[in-house]
Amino acid sequence: MEQLKISYKIYMEAEDIGQSRIHTSIAFVKNQFARSRSVYLQSAAFDDESDLDAFTLRFYVENEVCEEDCTSLEDAQSFVLDLAQVLDETAAAHSFMDLEGEFSWSFQGEEKTYTFQSESGWDYCDFKEM
C-alpha cells in the first residue's frame, strides 16, 4: 500500500443575499460532498459562520487526510479531478458568491498543490498549480 496525504480548505462568501439563498447554497455544497463517490470528500468538515440577519454567507469546508496505507486506491487516484469537479459545479450553480481556497495531494510519488478561485459573477473555477 501507499502513503496518502490530502489537504483542502475551501472558503465561500457572499453578501446582500436572501436567507433562503444562504440556506440553499449551504445545502447544495454539503450535498455535493455527501453524494460524492470519494470517501475523501465525504469526510469533509463544515463550518458555517453565515449571518442570516446581515444577509451574509460565510461557509468553510476543510479536510486533512494522512494515511500510512491508503484505504481507497481508486478514490486517492481520482481525488484531484473529483474535487475540481465539485468546485466547478459549485461555482456554476452559485455564481453570485466568491469561492476560493487551496488543496494538496501526495500519492504514489506524486505531489500536487493547487489554489483556486471563482469570483462573484463567474460560472467557473480558476485553478492554478503551485
Side-chain angles (χ1 to χ4, degrees), residues 12-14 21-22 24-29 32 57 88-99 118-123:
M12 290 163 270
E13 186 173 83
R21 189 172 244 187
I22 292 171
T24 301
S25 300
I26 290 170
F28 178 89
V29 172
Q32 286 286 89
L57 167 70
D88 257 345
E89 289 174 3
T90 300
H94 302 283
S95 61
F96 60 87
M97 73 176 159
D98 292 325
L99 173 66
S118 177
E119 294 183 13
S120 178
W122 295 6
D123 63 351

Side-chain angles (χ1 to χ4, degrees), residues 8 15 20 25 33-34 37 47-48 69 76 81 84 86 89 93-95 99 102 106 116 118-119 122 127:
Y8 54 91
E15 295 182 359
S20 63
S25 300
F33 280 83
R37 64 173 194 76
D47 185 16
D48 181 4
D69 292 322
L81 292 176
V86 166
E89 289 174 3
H94 302 283
S95 61
L99 173 66
E102 62 187 23
S106 175
F116 59 89
S118 177
E119 294 183 13
W122 295 6
F127 297 91

Side-chain angles (χ1 to χ4, degrees), residues 2-60:
E2 299 276 340
Q3 183 181 38
L4 171 68
K5 290 184 182 181
I6 291 174
S7 175
Y8 54 91
K9 293 181 183 188
I10 304 163
Y11 310 99
M12 290 163 270
E13 186 173 83
E15 295 182 359
D16 296 326
I17 61 170
Q19 294 175 354
S20 63
R21 189 172 244 187
I22 292 171
H23 290 298
T24 301
S25 300
I26 290 170
F28 178 89
V29 172
K30 285 183 174 181
N31 284 333
Q32 286 286 89
F33 280 83
R35 67 173 211 224
S36 169
R37 64 173 194 76
S38 173
V39 296
Y40 304 116
L41 296 179
Q42 293 171 355
S43 60
F46 305 105
D47 185 16
D48 181 4
E49 295 183 9
S50 300
D51 185 341
L52 298 176
D53 294 329
F55 304 102
T56 303
L57 167 70
R58 284 193 181 83
F59 190 68
Y60 308 96

Side-chain angles (χ1 to χ4, degrees), residues 2 23 25-26 32 38-39 54-55 58-59 61 64-65 67 74 77 80 82 93-94 101 107 114 123 125-126 129:
E2 299 276 340
H23 290 298
S25 300
I26 290 170
Q32 286 286 89
S38 173
V39 296
F55 304 102
R58 284 193 181 83
F59 190 68
V61 181
E64 194 161 319
V65 175
E67 296 178 345
E74 185 178 331
Q77 290 171 331
V80 171
D82 290 342
H94 302 283
F107 186 60
Y114 296 90
D123 63 351
C125 208
D126 184 30
E129 188 169 356

